[in-house]
Amino acid sequence: MLPLKILISLCGYSATIQACSLHDIAPVPSSDLARRSVLPGKKLPTIIKNVRVFNGWRMTEPQDISFHGETISFGSFHPEEPEVTVDGTGKFLVPGLIDSHLHISKVSDLELLASYGVTTGVHMSCQSYEACHTFRDQTDLTSIIFAGTASTGAGNPSSNLPQTGVSFPDLDEATIIANVFNNGSDVFKVAINDDGPTQDVLNGLIHEVHKLGRQAMTHATTREAFAWAVAAKTDGLQHMAADGPLSRCIIDRMLKHRQFVTPTMNIFKQAFENPLILNFLRPNGAGNITYEAVISNVRLLHEAGVPLLAGTDAVGVVTPTISVPFGLTLHWELQNLVVAGLSPLESLRAATVVPALHHRLEDRGAIEPGKRADLVLLNSNPLDDILNTMDIARVWIGGVEFQDIGGKAE
């Protein structure tokens, strides 16, 4: 393979990187794609009485929350009476949680997410558009938005280029972007690799995405990759630089461009605890990557005011010795963010109102009249201890109660 030519350097960084392929190694038989183990639920007029509410910004005093169909209202139903009354005394209601970076492969993955109160997921690289639409059509399970298969460089086996026989970057940006959005993708994704795209091509792709009024996400796991992604003015940076501290120059430019980061601390932490996972991640950069660098950089970004979104890079069970489970990992990520300096309040926002704002999901992420009835009822206060997000009593998705709580779905 020829070495990549560096066309631009930002804040003194220039290097080559390669994308992670952990989520590409476990294909799912088509017969298992849409298999469900939980029967669809029903939308029943419901009132939760005397419950304290984390509305996305703060915890309120006890009040009543009602919903009928998919949307929330306050107080009691008029003139229709609720069919379900839930006593919320001593309990805490939070918006359905959002995992801003995962890779699902079958509908039963959505059941696991729902069982842990994760009511929205961002599927960050669609390998099959038919499958992605199947995931998105499950109205009573965790709802999914998805990025088109990541655009990479010529010769990369995980490239999502249209099957035209034309090698990237010779294919023009408009054709690459059309392939993603004409297939129903919500966002565009680019993976910075050692075989491309070059900085110029990266800039051109993201510029064209922005001309359409759409968002671009960029996979980046080193300081050099962050520099490239920041220079290209991507909307969201996925993962975290793990090879040393981000410079103030890079962070200032991120603030200027109003970029956000989904650091996926979970996958780094799991990798450094499991060498088998680390073997898949190490090609993302130099051999001197450390989890301490990940924590330090998340802390630097938080202190500077760069928006942070909770995401896990969950893929489920890959092999008997490699598993990045759905649902549970988002709760781990909230704990990771607290270790990196966020308060429990800020950590909870990173999985509710903050990703809703940055992913343009105007109908969720908060508990307000007219928002989706994506709700998680907790037995204990998550603002006292972030571990309490796992103390789940009940979950509703679009007004439908999910019956299998705590990862019991098979």
Side-chain angles (χ1 to χ4, degrees):
M1 182 183 297
L2 293 174
L4 174 65
K5 281 189 174 181
I6 304 302
L7 299 185
I8 189 170
S9 175
L10 174 65
C11 299
Y13 291 122
S14 60
T16 60
I17 29 273
Q18 186 172 340
C20 170
S21 58
L22 182 63
H23 52 274
D24 297 327
I25 68 173
V28 176
S30 57
S31 59
D32 291 342
L33 178 67
R35 183 180 64 84
R36 293 184 54 149
S37 57
V38 177
L39 293 175
K42 297 180 180 179
K43 291 184 173 69
L44 299 175
T46 300
I47 184 167
I48 307 172
K49 299 185 71 66
N50 198 40
V51 66
R52 293 188 66 188
V53 176
F54 175 72
N55 59 16
W57 302 106
R58 64 183 183 88
M59 190 71 75
T60 72
E61 293 302 312
Q63 61 179 292
D64 295 348
I65 299 292
S66 304
F67 52 90
H68 182 205
E70 293 188 358
T71 57
I72 298 168
S73 59
F74 285 4
S76 300
F77 289 100
H78 298 290
E80 185 175 8
E81 292 300 318
E83 294 183 29
V84 177
T85 299
V86 177
D87 183 6
T89 304
K91 292 183 169 59
F92 304 84
L93 193 68
V94 303
L97 303 176
I98 300 173
D99 188 332
S100 289
H101 189 128
L102 44 68
H103 300 276
I104 60 175
S105 56
K106 52 190 181 298
V107 167
S108 57
D109 297 339
L110 305 180
E111 295 176 316
L112 283 171
L113 289 166
S115 73
Y116 283 100
V118 182
T119 60
T120 300
V122 183
H123 182 40
M124 199 48 81
S125 185
C126 186
Q127 304 300 313
S128 162
Y129 289 112
E130 179 181 2
C132 287
H133 285 287
T134 297
F135 304 148
R136 195 157 60 185
D137 288 343
Q138 308 301 315
T139 56
D140 61 320
L141 293 177
T142 298
S143 61
I144 292 296
I145 67 171
F146 64 86
T149 314
S151 290
T152 60
N156 188 295
S158 62
S159 175
N160 76 321
L161 299 177
Q163 300 302 310
T164 61
V166 181
S167 295
F168 188 77
D170 298 324
L171 203 60
D172 67 277
E173 288 95 341
T175 302
I176 296 169
I177 293 166
N179 178 58
V180 168
F181 290 123
N182 289 349
N183 277 294
S185 301
D186 299 285
V187 296
F188 187 85
K189 182 182 177 184
V190 184
I192 301 176
N193 301 298
D194 60 1
D195 57 358
T198 64
Q199 180 78 65
D200 283 349
V201 171
L202 182 67
N203 294 351
L205 285 167
I206 293 174
H207 177 72
E208 291 299 318
V209 169
H210 287 166
K211 282 173 60 177
L212 296 175
R214 308 298 287 268
Q215 288 186 302
M217 306 295 150
T218 302
H219 170 110
T221 56
T222 65
R223 292 174 292 171
E224 293 83 358
F226 260 65
W228 281 37
V230 170
K233 300 182 181 179
T234 191
D235 296 279
L237 290 92
Q238 301 299 312
H239 307 301
M240 180 49 61
D243 61 340
L246 291 168
S247 71
R248 187 68 222 188
C249 173
I250 292 293
I251 295 173
D252 287 344
R253 286 175 179 260
M254 295 172 70
L255 291 167
K256 178 181 178 181
H257 300 331
R258 298 183 179 180
Q259 293 165 310
F260 62 86
V261 178
T262 306
T264 64
M265 298 177 71
N266 168 73
I267 192 62
F268 290 101
K269 189 172 190 292
Q270 283 198 254
F272 283 104
E273 292 173 349
N274 184 345
L276 294 174
I277 297 178
L278 186 61
N279 286 337
F280 285 98
L281 295 184
R282 191 170 293 281
N284 282 270
N288 63 341
I289 59 174
T290 66
Y291 186 58
E292 289 71 22
V294 172
I295 295 174
S296 177
N297 281 327
V298 172
R299 183 176 290 114
L300 286 172
L301 294 177
H302 171 243
E303 291 173 351
V306 174
L308 299 172
L309 281 59
T312 65
D313 213 5
V315 296
V317 177
V318 180
T319 71
T321 53
I322 298 179
S323 175
V324 188
F326 294 104
L328 180 61
T329 46
L330 185 63
H331 296 274
W332 294 349
E333 185 70 0
L334 299 184
Q335 297 163 32
N336 296 336
L337 291 171
V338 169
V339 170
L342 280 70
S343 67
L345 173 66
E346 293 167 326
S347 178
L348 192 54
R349 286 176 179 168
T352 54
V353 68
V354 173
L357 290 171
H358 287 282
H359 285 299
R360 304 176 181 177
L361 302 173
E362 298 179 356
D363 63 341
R364 67 196 72 190
I367 299 179
E368 300 172 357
K371 298 284 189 184
R372 273 178 59 93
D374 289 351
L375 302 166
V376 182
L377 185 64
L378 302 175
N379 294 310
S380 44
N381 191 345
L383 304 191
D384 291 340
D385 188 338
I386 198 63
L387 290 171
N388 290 338
T389 62
M390 298 180 65
D391 191 8
I392 300 173
R394 304 173 85 150
V395 173
W396 293 268
I397 301 174
V400 177
E401 185 170 6
F402 189 78
Q403 298 294 329
D404 221 333
I405 301 301
K408 297 178 183 178
E410 297 292 334

